[in-house]
Amino acid sequence: MTDTTIAIIGGTGLTSLKGLEITRREVMHTPYGEPSGPITHGVLAGREVMFLARHGYGHTIPPHRINYRANLWALKNAGIHRVVAVAAVGGITAEMAPPRLVFPDQIIDYTWSRGHTLFEADLSHVTHVDFTHPYCEELRHALIQEARQIGLDFVDRGTYGATQGPRLETAAEVNRLERDGCDIVGMTGMPEAALARELELCYATCAVVANWAAGRGEGQGEISMEEVDRNVAEGMVNVRTLLENIIPTL
């Protein structure tokens, strides 16, 4: 086992990591089935890291079919202690404009029927984990500090509403999310964050606002996939810059 402690989980728009010098790929088998793909080991900005594409390296696994338990278990078993999770989201509140970066500090789970816990079988006792603050504040603050230092456009907090997918939300559903206190909406935030907490991983999300959520933004028309792709591409350039700058400091 290497001394690598940092993993990057790539979402939509980040199925590979430019600048990563790949040293090997590791196929992992877990008690929860197969992960989204092999774990990619490599060197980024002079530091050993691991990378896993959440939707598979061909971006073929929809959010509700991702084996989150296998993904997180595999990273933990490979020796990871910290995880930077990259995700594309929709912006709900006014400051969550595309293609801004967001470092959420809270999350609300609207998903269902996903394998959402490691503590459900062969237990010696019922296990609960504290989830008051769902993200690792140490890692989240490090990301924020680095983003500020290199001059990126970002929001340093917000509540992530995790929906089931793979369809996008209705305008009425987005209205409900805002009433509930959500600032951004995505489909992969849960149970990934909770599983990381169960595994005692330091986990934080770097979200790219890919589009205004349904009924938001100018015109309030249908969401354009061309616009989403354009914003994701622009946002991921900033994510890569952030990762290249922060990885050596962690």
Side-chain angles (χ1 to χ4, degrees):
M1 182 178 296
T2 71
D3 62 357
T4 301
T5 61
I6 303 169
I8 299 159
I9 298 178
T12 298
L14 195 68
T15 55
S16 62
L17 199 56
K18 185 178 180 180
L20 179 67
E21 300 174 22
I22 298 173
T23 56
R24 64 188 176 97
R25 290 184 172 88
E26 182 179 10
V27 175
M28 300 282 285
H29 303 287
T30 85
Y32 305 98
E34 300 304 307
S36 295
I39 295 175
T40 301
H41 295 253
V43 177
L44 180 67
R47 179 74 181 272
E48 287 191 47
V49 298
M50 297 184 198
F51 178 80
L52 180 64
R54 185 186 290 114
H55 296 277
Y57 291 95
H59 200 263
T60 57
I61 308 172
H64 66 297
R65 298 296 300 273
I66 293 168
N67 193 337
Y68 296 94
R69 291 190 294 186
N71 285 351
L72 272 296
W73 189 96
L75 291 174
K76 174 75 172 186
N77 197 59
I80 287 300
H81 299 291
R82 285 170 285 186
V83 177
V84 177
V86 180
V89 299
I92 298 176
T93 51
E95 65 177 340
M96 303 300 177
R100 189 165 285 167
L101 301 187
V102 184
F103 304 102
D105 63 328
Q106 282 294 329
I107 194 163
I108 301 177
D109 188 7
Y110 300 93
T111 66
W112 67 89
S113 300
R114 300 183 180 188
H116 66 281
T117 181
L118 305 174
F119 300 128
E120 63 180 8
D122 301 321
L123 302 178
S124 59
H125 59 278
V126 175
T127 303
H128 303 283
V129 296
D130 177 73
F131 206 48
T132 305
H133 303 289
Y135 300 102
C136 174
E137 284 301 300
E138 179 185 359
L139 182 55
R140 204 177 72 82
H141 286 153
L143 288 165
I144 291 167
Q145 183 177 352
E146 192 63 40
R148 182 175 292 117
Q149 185 168 326
I150 61 179
L152 298 180
D153 184 18
F154 70 93
V155 181
D156 65 2
R157 65 182 59 251
T159 297
Y160 180 131
T163 58
Q164 180 72 356
R167 69 165 178 83
L168 298 175
E169 300 74 32
T170 68
E173 287 171 332
V174 172
N175 289 339
R176 182 189 69 162
L177 290 169
E178 185 169 25
R179 288 194 298 271
D180 285 351
C182 297
D183 299 287
I184 54 177
V185 57
M187 301 174 188
T188 60
M190 287 291 284
E192 193 172 271
L195 292 165
R197 180 60 53 85
E198 289 186 350
L199 288 165
E200 299 181 343
L201 296 171
C202 179
Y203 173 99
T205 289
C206 174
V208 174
V209 182
N211 56 277
W212 286 111
R216 299 296 188 271
E218 295 182 7
Q220 300 183 2
E222 294 184 0
I223 295 172
S224 162
M225 290 302 108
E226 291 79 10
E227 182 182 1
V228 169
D229 291 342
R230 183 170 63 252
N231 288 327
V232 167
E234 183 176 344
M236 288 305 166
V237 170
N238 292 330
V239 169
R240 291 185 177 97
T241 300
L242 175 61
L243 292 174
E244 289 170 0
N245 280 272
I246 197 172
I247 288 296
T249 72
L250 292 176

